[in-house]
């Protein structure tokens, strides 16, 4: 058993940015790929892995190190199951699947979208290998019939992997009434600084605009075009 602890997501600067999850997914078959949204979830994953006999890589959120979280009373005991997604916010209009640091971006966008009358259901993948063994994403699509995947990898990377898992392996295609969408980082390394991060990677504004565009396509009378 081997646990590889590393960090990534939402980094700034040309040599410090990027989230090449597709490289990990393509080259580390046989290892669990854990992508916790915060340090509390990471602790639960480590507790699970310590008790197992399986190799894994855990990609922690680097920008999550500076955020304060409530310390669980049973921090050394509670566990997070490997391979199972979690619904962190229930909604009725659209399913948004994400992981790691972008999960927090989606949560920020949910507040603004609620002001527009759109209630999104947020699914945290938690682990990419294995992915959503309980088929929570498909269960969510039965209710919302719309899908958006948000991640920091380049176009065609981890988001494409997640899309295939949901549409093909979970038969999510048959539950959709609109085109599924992905929201990813741009196909280049971001320039240095916060502006480079904002314009190169998915922001809460990007999530709001993309979700609203999907809702506009489905019901243009209720959600008129913003532009």
């Amino acid at each position: 058993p081997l646990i590889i602890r590393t960090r990534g997501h939402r980094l700034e600067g040309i040599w410090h940015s990027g989230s090449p999850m597709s490289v990990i997914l393509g080259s580390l078959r046989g290892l669990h790929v854990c992508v916790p949204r915060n340090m509390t979830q990471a602790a639960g994953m480590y507790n699970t892995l310590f008790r197992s006999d399986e190799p894994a890589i855990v990609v922690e959120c680097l920008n999550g190190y500076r955020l304060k979280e409530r310390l669980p009373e049973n921090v050394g005991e509670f566990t997070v199951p490997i391979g199972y997604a979690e619904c962190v916010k229930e909604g009725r209009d659209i399913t948004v699947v994400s992981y790691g640091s972008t999960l927090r971006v989606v949560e920020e966008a949910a507040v603004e979208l609620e002001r527009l009358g759109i209630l999104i259901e947020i699914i945290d993948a938690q682990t990419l290998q294995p992915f959503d063994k309980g088929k929570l994403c498909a269960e969510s699509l039965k209710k919302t019939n719309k899908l958006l995947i948000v991640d920091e990898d380049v176009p065609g990377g981890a988001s494409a992997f997640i899309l295939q898992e949901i549409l093909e392996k979970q038969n999510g295609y048959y539950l959709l009434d609109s085109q599924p969408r992905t929201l990813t980082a741009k196909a280049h390394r971001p320039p240095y600084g916060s502006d480079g991060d904002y314009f190169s990677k998915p922001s809460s504004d990007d999530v709001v605009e993309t979700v609203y565009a999907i809702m506009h396509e489905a019901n243009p009378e209720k959600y008129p075009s913003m532009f």
Side-chain angles (χ1 to χ4, degrees):
L2 170 70
I3 301 174
I4 302 171
R5 181 190 179 203
T6 186
R7 56 205 186 277
H9 312 304
R10 310 306 293 189
L11 312 182
E12 294 185 0
I14 186 171
W15 302 117
H16 300 277
S17 295
S19 183
M21 294 305 302
S22 54
V23 176
I24 293 175
L25 291 169
S27 61
L28 297 181
R29 295 287 178 172
L31 269 71
H32 296 322
V33 179
C34 304
V35 282
R37 64 182 179 269
N38 54 39
M39 297 305 108
T40 302
Q41 293 300 105
M45 292 179 183
Y46 285 124
N47 288 337
T48 300
L49 294 170
F50 287 148
R51 291 162 173 76
S52 72
D53 196 32
E54 300 290 334
I57 180 171
V58 182
V59 184
E60 299 174 0
C61 301
L62 182 61
N63 67 352
Y65 293 163
R66 65 177 180 266
L67 300 177
K68 291 184 178 181
E69 299 177 30
R70 184 178 296 277
L71 184 68
E73 294 181 358
N74 61 338
V75 67
E77 301 172 0
F78 91 101
T79 57
V80 173
I82 304 299
Y84 290 89
E86 178 184 356
C87 179
V88 298
K89 181 183 180 301
E90 293 188 358
R92 67 181 181 219
D93 295 315
I94 181 172
T95 299
V96 181
V97 181
S98 189
Y99 63 89
S101 290
T102 46
L103 199 284
R104 189 163 56 252
V105 173
V106 173
E107 289 178 317
E108 293 171 359
V111 177
E112 181 64 28
L113 287 165
E114 195 162 343
R115 297 192 184 103
L116 298 172
I118 300 173
L119 300 179
I120 67 175
E121 183 144 296
I122 304 175
I123 304 296
D124 180 7
Q126 300 207 103
T127 58
L128 298 181
Q129 281 288 8
F131 178 81
D132 191 15
K133 294 194 294 185
K135 298 184 177 181
L136 182 63
C137 294
E139 287 299 315
S140 178
L141 286 181
K142 290 179 182 178
K143 177 170 50 174
T144 67
N145 308 116
K146 301 174 189 64
L147 175 63
L148 171 65
I149 297 166
V150 182
D151 88 313
E152 289 183 82
D153 202 354
V154 295
S159 59
F161 167 81
I162 295 172
L163 191 65
Q164 182 183 32
E165 289 282 327
I166 296 174
L167 296 189
E168 293 186 12
K169 294 188 178 181
Q170 297 188 13
N171 291 322
Y173 172 82
Y174 299 101
L175 303 172
L176 295 172
D177 60 13
S178 65
Q179 176 186 357
R181 297 281 300 276
T182 61
L183 179 59
T184 70
K186 300 296 189 296
H188 59 74
R189 286 186 176 275
Y192 182 76
S194 297
D195 285 349
D197 177 85
Y198 178 82
F199 288 106
S200 297
K201 298 180 181 180
S203 67
S204 58
D205 294 335
D206 294 329
V207 176
V208 170
E209 292 176 6
T210 305
V211 167
Y212 193 89
I214 295 172
M215 298 304 298
H216 167 69
E217 179 188 22
N219 191 339
E221 291 186 3
K222 185 176 182 180
Y223 304 102
S225 176
M226 285 183 171
F227 307 102

